[in-house]
Each structure stands twice: as C-alpha cells, then as structure tokens.
Amino acid sequence: QQQVKQSPQSLIVQKGGISIINCAYENTAFDYFPWYQQFPGKGPALLIAIRPDVSEKKEGRFTISFNKSAKQFSLHIMDSQPGDSATYFCAATGGGNKLTFGTGTQLKVEL
Amino acid sequence: EPEVTQTPSHQVTQMGQEVILRCVPISNHLYFYWYRQILGQKVEFLVSFYNNEISEKSEIFDDQFSVERPDGSNFTLKIRSTKLEDSAMYFCASSEDRWDTEAFFGQGTRLTVV
C-alpha cells in the first residue's frame, strides 16, 4: 500500500515534443506529490509538486496533472529539450516528509 | 544558494568494516534524512531525524545502522558491520520543517562494499 508505481521505465522524445510520465498510488493518506529530477552523479532535485486539492499545477514547461479519484498523477514536459534528459522520480508523502519514491523514468530528449 | 554537502563522495570498504557517512545539512533546517539508492533502483527512505532523535525509520534501518548529530552542523550515518548488499548511493537530505516543505538532497556518497 506504500508503493508508488511509475511508468514508463524509459522514454525517448524528440526535441520540442511532449514527455509524459505517469504515477499511481494506493495509500489515500498521501497528501503531497513531488516530482524530482536527477542528473547522473547528483542527488534528486525538486522539480514541481502538487497537493490533491488541485487537479493541475504548471510551472514553466512542467505540468503536473492529478486525478484524485483514480489515484494517479502525471508529469508533462512541454517543448522537451536535450537538457531535460535525466531520470525523473515521482514521489508521495503523507503526514510527514518521508518520501516514497517511484521507480524512476530515464528520459532522453533527442535532437 | 545553500546546499546539503556530503563526504566522502565515494567510499570503498571491506565487508564487516564500519563506515561513517557525513553530511552537512542546510543551516536553518530542522529535519534531516538519509535515503539510499541501489544502482538502477529507486530511492528508498532510511531514517528521519528531528530534535536529536529518530522520528521515523524504515525496515531497512536495522540495528546495523545508526544516526547522530554530533555537533551543530554535521549529521552522520554509521553502518556498523557492512555487508555486500549495503553497496549503494546514500543521500542525505534536509528540510526546514516537517510539513509541506521541500527536502533538499545532497550529491550522495557512493558506498562500495567489497
């Protein structure tokens, strides 16, 4: 029940395209859903986060869509750039700051 | 920009040896965490620490592990008797408080147990 399922495992997108990564959770106590970006040799860095009281949050080219009834949320990267190539982790937490991470998506943006 | 710093960046140790991984959290942060990432796998929570005591720990964080804040700036993870399966990237993180705030991660320490 503590798991966060993430897909796809890897994704190749052309420059300028839209990257979409999906996550699903089971624990209804989760109330904060961040996305982290990780470059090789670096720690995860917060990209964008959402709470379940809104269905969408946009920051620049990054948008989280949240479906509370389906217990799913997704990250959309618009106008994907080669510099976006990284591993993306969805995460969830509830009642504290212990993060439960998804399994990660390796994104490659090709020219 | 303030950051979490970890030392060393890479540590190689023999099975059965003790290791101490060190972290300097962001100075005004009150909550500290250790996570680990086995190569190619997801990031897993180990332990959170607040007010000089463990506030939560995972099933991974058994008696072989301990954490300490020996002074006002450092936060350490000790593995008493390392096993091969302890080989992983260990990340320290800190946050201003517990609720609804960003956890900032360090760059990690790669621990290799041989």
Side-chain angles (χ1 to χ4, degrees):
Chain A
Q1 197 180 18
Q2 287 295 323
Q3 280 189 331
V4 177
K5 295 180 181 178
Q6 182 172 349
S7 63
Q9 189 175 5
S10 63
L11 181 61
I12 299 175
V13 172
Q14 295 299 308
K15 181 183 172 186
I18 302 173
S19 305
I20 301 174
I21 305 170
N22 301 298
C23 284
Y25 65 97
E26 295 175 358
N27 188 346
T28 54
F30 287 150
D31 61 1
Y32 179 66
F33 301 88
W35 284 88
Y36 281 82
Q37 180 187 56
Q38 185 182 30
F39 293 104
K42 301 289 186 184
L46 180 68
L47 192 61
I48 186 173
I50 197 168
R51 285 200 166 273
D53 51 351
V54 295
S55 60
E56 187 174 281
K57 183 173 182 180
K58 185 176 180 179
E59 288 183 3
R61 296 185 294 110
F62 302 92
T63 300
I64 301 178
S65 297
F66 188 85
N67 185 330
K68 188 175 180 179
S69 60
K71 290 185 279 189
Q72 294 174 348
F73 58 110
S74 59
L75 176 69
H76 292 64
I77 306 174
M78 312 300 286
D79 187 27
S80 299
Q81 298 297 313
D84 296 330
S85 298
T87 300
Y88 292 82
F89 291 96
C90 62
T93 186
N97 225 342
K98 166 194 165 184
L99 291 163
T100 299
F101 282 85
T103 47
T105 297
Q106 281 193 310
L107 171 65
K108 184 176 179 183
V109 181
E110 292 184 336
L111 292 168
Chain B
E1 187 177 313
E3 58 180 12
V4 176
T5 56
Q6 290 184 243
T7 54
S9 55
H10 190 191
Q11 171 119 25
V12 181
T13 189
Q14 289 202 326
M15 193 168 52
Q17 294 297 303
E18 174 183 287
V19 295
I20 298 176
L21 310 183
R22 302 180 192 279
C23 168
V24 179
I26 294 172
S27 61
N28 64 329
H29 285 186
L30 301 177
Y31 282 85
F32 315 114
Y33 313 85
W34 284 101
Y35 288 81
R36 80 172 185 191
Q37 185 179 29
I38 295 171
L39 187 63
Q41 298 187 24
K42 67 178 179 180
V43 179
E44 299 175 292
F45 170 80
L46 291 178
V47 66
S48 59
F49 191 85
Y50 170 72
N51 200 25
N52 281 319
E53 59 183 27
I54 290 174
S55 51
E56 193 170 0
K57 61 182 181 179
S58 72
E59 59 276 8
I60 302 168
F61 193 88
D62 60 22
D63 292 343
Q64 296 281 54
F65 292 89
S66 62
V67 289
E68 192 177 33
R69 189 154 163 81
D71 54 43
S73 59
N74 291 285
F75 179 51
T76 62
L77 174 69
K78 183 192 291 186
I79 308 175
R80 237 176 297 283
S81 176
T82 50
K83 309 186 201 65
L84 293 175
E85 54 265 36
D86 293 328
S87 295
M89 183 75 91
Y90 287 81
F91 293 106
C92 173
S94 69
S95 62
E96 246 180 274
D97 61 49
R98 188 177 183 183
W99 307 97
D100 192 18
T101 58
E102 178 179 356
F104 289 82
F105 284 75
Q107 82 282 12
T109 292
R110 179 165 296 286
L111 176 65
T112 303
V113 182
V114 297

